[in-house]
Amino acid sequence: MNNFEFKNPTKIIFGKDTIAKLSEELPTDARVLILYGGGSIKKNGIYDQVKTALKDISHVEFGGIPANPEYSVLMKALKVIKEKGITYLLAVGGGSVIDGTKFLSSAALYEGDSPWDILKDSKRTEVGMPFGTVLTLPATGSEMNSGAVITNAETKEKLGMGGPGLFPQFSILDPQVIQSIPQRQLVNGITDAFTHVLEQYMTYPAAALLQDRFAESIMQTLLEVAPTILKDPTDYNAASNFMWSCTMALNGLIQKGVPTDWAVHAMGHELTALYGIDHARTLAIIAPSHYQYNFEAKKEKLAQYAERVWNITEGSIEDKAYAAIEKTESFFNQMGIETKLSKYTDNFDGTAEIIAKRFTERGWLGLGEHKSLKPEDVEHIVHMAY
Ligand code: NZQ
Ligand code: ZN
């Protein structure tokens, strides 16, 4: 097992009707900006619950943060923060609203000329404006981690940011919120969380027995509850296990002491930036090709995953490893997710070359757990995903 340090300061408030506890978490003298997305919270009752909980706390609102939070929209929210003397941010939404709020937390205290530089120059945020979240969509884990991904429509870029200053102070996780989530987003959430685990697990054996089993148990739980979630999102037992699995998949715990990959996300983010494909779907496009291309380096963990998660016990290491890739792809397909880029856009020609060129320009010359995937490897993998 590798050496590690672990600190996750986010307080989780989990369970039925917990949005009512919001006011207990906010400083009484806070001037709060509530941030939300395209308006789903106004239809499903979450907005009303938040407003009721905040009745004695000074607050203003900013809605309209789109999926894949857009820089130009966030800059309007930043203006509100400055003009209204906001001291505390409250994200009410999924990964996009939470990530947008993290950007604002950083940008509100940023002293440089253009906040885009936080992303472009990979500036770590040591201290941000404090913020909390009310999670409405289990998927990204953003509610309990310190990362964010922001889109710039003008430059067609999607870049990550982070730092210890960007953990939420608290996150409220009421599994009942999933009742109103459309099927497409439920499927995305399951796929995103599942792939988060794969990114931190599908590398090479590192004698980290407990981390491996944490990872496997999250994937097993997601596989177990997925059919129920998709059939009946009002099933509270399935909803609560789904929600907690998504948070645990990316709150830092399972990556401690082990090598991690994250190349699937690096390539996937480019597909969202170029074609607007839902984040989770880009992962399902890239992952099967990535595991095939890196088969030799990953086959031992692929075989372990085959045995422990998919109960594939027959055959050689290679046989099991191949079967595991097939099982993973058909899991995505069975939930209705296409795993080839050509199913999402007719303009896929040249995508692999564009992505490889971008990575070269950014100096991303060695991705993956061995830092050995060069832009030409990325080009091959994206090609295989056409
Ligand atoms: O905008 P509204 O009206 O709220 O509707 C949203 C949006 O259309 C809707 N929705 C959310 N909760 C709902 C609901 N509809 C009905 N009922 C509810 N309870 O769902 C749609 C998608 O929301 P979004 O927040 O975009 O989805 P998700 O949570 O999947 O977030 C995706 C974003 O997170 C980033 C992705 O790149 C993408 O930009 N990620 C963030 C990560 C992180 N910070 O750790 C890691 C991830 O790998 C990912 O990159
Ligand atoms: Zn993801």
Side-chain angles (χ1 to χ4, degrees):
M1 201 190 301
N2 301 334
N3 291 4
F4 67 87
E5 294 181 10
F6 183 49
K7 179 177 179 184
N8 188 318
T10 301
K11 175 175 177 181
I12 295 293
I13 301 162
F14 188 98
K16 265 184 196 165
D17 304 327
T18 41
I19 297 174
K21 296 189 167 208
L22 199 44
S23 60
E24 295 168 26
E25 301 304 321
L26 296 166
T28 45
D29 59 349
R31 197 155 163 69
V32 177
L33 179 62
I34 305 176
L35 294 135
Y36 59 92
S40 66
I41 62 165
K42 295 211 167 154
K43 295 187 204 122
N44 57 22
I46 296 173
Y47 175 82
D48 294 335
Q49 291 178 58
V50 168
K51 288 294 272 188
T52 305
L54 288 190
K55 67 179 182 334
D56 296 325
I57 291 179
S58 161
H59 63 271
V60 282
E61 296 171 21
F62 183 93
I65 297 175
N68 306 311
E70 163 56 28
Y71 180 67
S72 57
V73 176
L74 296 170
M75 289 305 283
K76 290 181 192 157
L78 184 60
K79 207 161 162 255
V80 175
I81 291 172
K82 303 243 155 128
E83 283 172 6
K84 304 277 184 190
I86 297 298
T87 63
Y88 206 107
L89 306 173
L90 178 66
V92 184
S96 293
V97 171
I98 299 175
D99 282 11
T101 301
K102 288 178 178 174
F103 167 78
L104 292 168
S105 158
S106 179
L109 307 186
Y110 181 64
E111 288 175 352
D113 294 336
S114 162
W116 184 249
D117 294 343
I118 302 169
L119 293 132
K120 190 167 64 64
D121 302 335
S122 306
K123 290 185 192 293
R124 248 166 90 87
T125 304
E126 299 294 337
V127 183
M129 179 174 282
F131 68 97
T133 89
V134 174
L135 180 67
T136 67
L137 172 52
T140 64
S142 189
E143 66 278 6
M144 199 181 177
N145 69 40
S146 59
V149 196
I150 305 299
T151 297
N152 188 326
E154 198 187 319
T155 59
K156 290 204 169 181
E157 283 175 294
K158 188 167 190 201
L159 297 178
M161 61 183 286
L166 292 183
F167 282 100
Q169 306 279 317
F170 66 87
S171 282
I172 296 186
L173 276 56
D174 181 345
Q176 295 173 117
V177 298
I178 82 155
Q179 294 176 14
S180 63
I181 300 175
Q183 284 277 313
R184 167 174 154 187
Q185 302 298 345
L186 288 172
V187 167
N188 285 353
I190 295 163
T191 302
D192 193 21
F194 198 87
T195 312
H196 291 161
V197 181
L198 288 177
E199 295 270 40
Q200 301 163 90
Y201 171 92
M202 203 56 77
T203 56
Y204 53 87
L209 307 185
L210 183 59
Q211 287 90 326
D212 277 1
R213 288 197 166 85
F214 280 149
E216 288 151 1
S217 65
I218 295 170
M219 292 189 283
Q220 286 167 324
T221 307
L222 286 168
L223 287 172
E224 187 173 333
V225 299
T228 314
I229 297 292
L230 298 177
K231 205 166 117 226
D232 179 13
T234 66
D235 184 314
Y236 184 79
N237 285 338
S240 52
N241 282 289
F242 169 42
M243 194 171 228
W244 188 226
S245 294
C246 292
T247 303
M248 288 298 287
L250 195 50
N251 65 1
L253 178 69
I254 67 171
Q255 73 184 18
K256 294 301 159 191
V258 297
T260 60
D261 181 345
W262 293 111
V264 174
H265 271 69
M267 291 179 255
H269 285 158
E270 297 306 318
L271 298 182
T272 302
L274 291 167
Y275 306 114
I277 303 169
D278 290 354
H279 169 65
R281 284 162 205 255
T282 69
L283 309 176
I285 294 168
I286 297 291
S289 302
H290 181 63
Y291 297 136
Q292 274 158 26
Y293 185 81
N294 294 291
F295 190 79
E296 276 307 311
K298 291 179 182 288
K299 67 184 181 189
E300 286 182 53
K301 282 306 276 288
L302 278 164
Q304 179 180 319
Y305 162 69
E307 280 178 20
R308 295 192 188 172
V309 176
W310 294 106
N311 301 316
I312 300 165
T313 51
E314 303 285 310
S316 63
I317 287 191
E318 284 78 8
D319 292 339
K320 289 182 210 163
Y322 268 119
I325 299 173
E326 274 174 18
K327 282 276 189 192
T328 309
E329 186 164 5
S330 53
F331 169 53
F332 297 148
N333 292 151
Q334 278 161 16
M335 290 193 294
I337 292 201
E338 297 285 1
T339 43
K340 288 291 174 201
L341 180 60
S342 50
K343 297 280 185 184
Y344 295 85
T345 171
D346 293 333
N347 298 326
F348 56 87
D349 256 353
T351 306
E353 291 78 5
I354 296 170
I355 296 179
K357 185 164 171 281
R358 286 180 157 196
F359 284 13
T360 305
E361 284 165 3
R362 288 185 206 143
W364 295 7
L365 305 178
L367 297 185
E369 63 272 22
H370 294 292
K371 308 223 175 306
S372 61
L373 270 193
K374 300 185 185 66
E376 54 260 40
D377 299 306
V378 165
E379 193 175 317
H380 275 289
I381 294 164
V382 178
H383 241 288
M384 286 165 69
Y386 283 3

